[in-house]
């Protein structure tokens, strides 16, 4: 395994399982020290046991400004810098129009937009010049997905954030990119509160996809780690699909 991330420090939000865990695993295998957040302490302890001392688990709610600030304080006191920020934590609630609750709306906006903004803002003083920020979006932001209108809208916002922040951070040479996920067989995807119409949409998506399958977390991690590396030094403000071709047909 290469050591392209030797001496690098990364933060992966929502990294206890699935895409976040797979990305943390790859970053650590290539030399990085990785802070991982989750709301679930058991997930963090399991991740630490699996990946060893270079993974530092921090319990944090991605929608809580106070938790985010405490997280950044811990990183400051431990490593004093960040090279890579992978904003992967998300909240999803599948409700059709007419059934959307205030609680579900607030949670998704709070984590996927408010929490994302506060995380990036809080991390910026620690980010090294030339660092990389990567955000997980979803194919739902580009295609109509039954019962996912709020979630899709929050993910679509990331595309705008990447364009604007890439310009705002240009003087510091901090790159900002989005990775758009198709259906991925992560724990979060499997445990989503999906109604029958959404399940039918996924089944149809697999049938239509050139890949004819759901993706695996490591396939997202491959793209994220590429974008975090110097090999992607001229990729900025972009939206990279990891969707088996589903969004391209």
């Amino acid at each position: 395994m290469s050591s392209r991330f030797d001496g690098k420090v990364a933060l992966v939000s929502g990294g206890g399982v699935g895409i976040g865990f797979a990305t943390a695993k790859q970053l650590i295998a290539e030399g990085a020290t990785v802070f991982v957040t989750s709301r679930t302490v058991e997930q963090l302890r399991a991740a630490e046991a699996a990946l060893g001392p270079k993974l530092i688990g921090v319990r944090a709610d991605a929608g809580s400004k106070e938790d985010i600030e405490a997280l950044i304080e811990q990183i400051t006191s431990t490593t004093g810098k960040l090279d890579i920020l992978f904003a992967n934590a998300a909240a999803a609630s599948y409700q059709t129009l007419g059934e959307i609750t205030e609680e579900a709306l607030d949670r998704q906006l709070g984590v996927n937009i408010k929490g994302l903004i506060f995380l990036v803002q809080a991390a910026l003083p620690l980010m090294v010049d030339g660092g990389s920020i990567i955000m997980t979006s979803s194919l739902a932001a580009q295609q109509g997905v039954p019962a996912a209108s709020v979630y899709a809208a929050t993910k679509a916002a990331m595309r705008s954030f990447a364009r604007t922040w890439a310009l705002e951070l240009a003087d510091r040479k901090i790159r900002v990119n989005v990775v758009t996920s198709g259906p991925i067989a992560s724990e979060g995807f499997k445990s989503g509160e999906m109604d029958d119409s959404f399940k039918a949409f996924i089944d149809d998506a697999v049938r239509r996809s050139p890949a004819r399958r759901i993706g695996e977390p490591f396939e997202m991690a491959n793209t994220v780690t590429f974008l975090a590396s110097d090999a992607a030094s001229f990729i900025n403000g972009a939206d990279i699909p990891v969707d088996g071709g589903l969004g391209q047909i």
Side-chain angles (χ1 to χ4, degrees), residues 22-231:
T23 302
K25 180 178 181 180
Q26 187 161 327
L27 288 167
I28 288 169
E30 299 190 48
T33 296
V34 183
F35 291 85
V36 162
T37 71
S38 172
R39 289 194 298 163
T40 306
V41 173
E42 291 77 13
Q43 286 183 356
L44 293 173
R45 299 296 87 84
E48 289 172 337
L51 299 185
K54 297 198 79 171
L55 184 142
I56 303 168
V58 182
R59 198 218 69 81
D61 185 331
S64 167
K65 187 172 183 286
E66 292 74 18
D67 282 6
I68 290 168
E69 290 171 347
L71 163 68
I72 297 303
E73 287 177 6
Q74 182 170 342
I75 297 172
T76 301
S77 63
T78 305
T79 62
K81 70 160 188 172
L82 271 178
D83 300 274
I84 301 158
L85 170 58
F86 179 32
N88 175 66
S93 183
Y94 300 100
Q95 299 172 332
T96 57
L97 186 63
E99 298 176 347
I100 298 169
T101 65
E102 184 175 13
E103 179 183 9
L105 177 64
D106 287 346
R107 180 63 185 165
Q108 291 173 97
L109 294 176
V111 172
N112 302 349
I113 293 183
K114 185 189 78 171
L116 172 64
I117 292 170
F118 286 145
L119 176 64
V120 173
Q121 286 190 158
L124 278 179
L126 279 182
M127 291 288 297
V128 301
D129 290 356
S132 177
I133 297 171
I134 303 146
M135 300 176 283
T136 302
S137 186
S138 168
L139 192 58
Q142 302 173 11
Q143 299 182 347
V145 178
S149 59
V150 175
Y151 173 75
T154 64
K155 289 299 183 176
M158 291 180 179
R159 185 71 193 93
S160 178
F161 290 158
R163 286 189 171 107
T164 304
W165 294 346
L167 284 171
E168 292 181 346
L169 298 175
D171 289 346
R172 294 186 56 189
K173 296 180 170 56
I174 295 175
R175 295 179 294 110
V176 186
N177 291 295
V178 172
V179 177
T180 290
S181 168
I184 299 290
S186 65
E187 286 81 351
F189 181 86
K190 294 174 183 176
S191 64
E193 298 175 0
M194 297 181 289
D195 65 11
D196 289 342
S197 64
F198 187 77
K199 291 176 182 177
F201 173 85
I202 295 301
D203 290 341
D204 180 64
V206 171
R207 285 192 296 270
R208 291 186 294 110
S209 170
R212 297 293 193 268
R213 65 177 176 86
I214 290 175
E216 295 296 330
F218 79 86
E219 293 175 302
M220 280 285 288
N222 287 340
T223 302
V224 174
T225 53
F226 165 69
L227 288 173
S229 75
D230 291 341

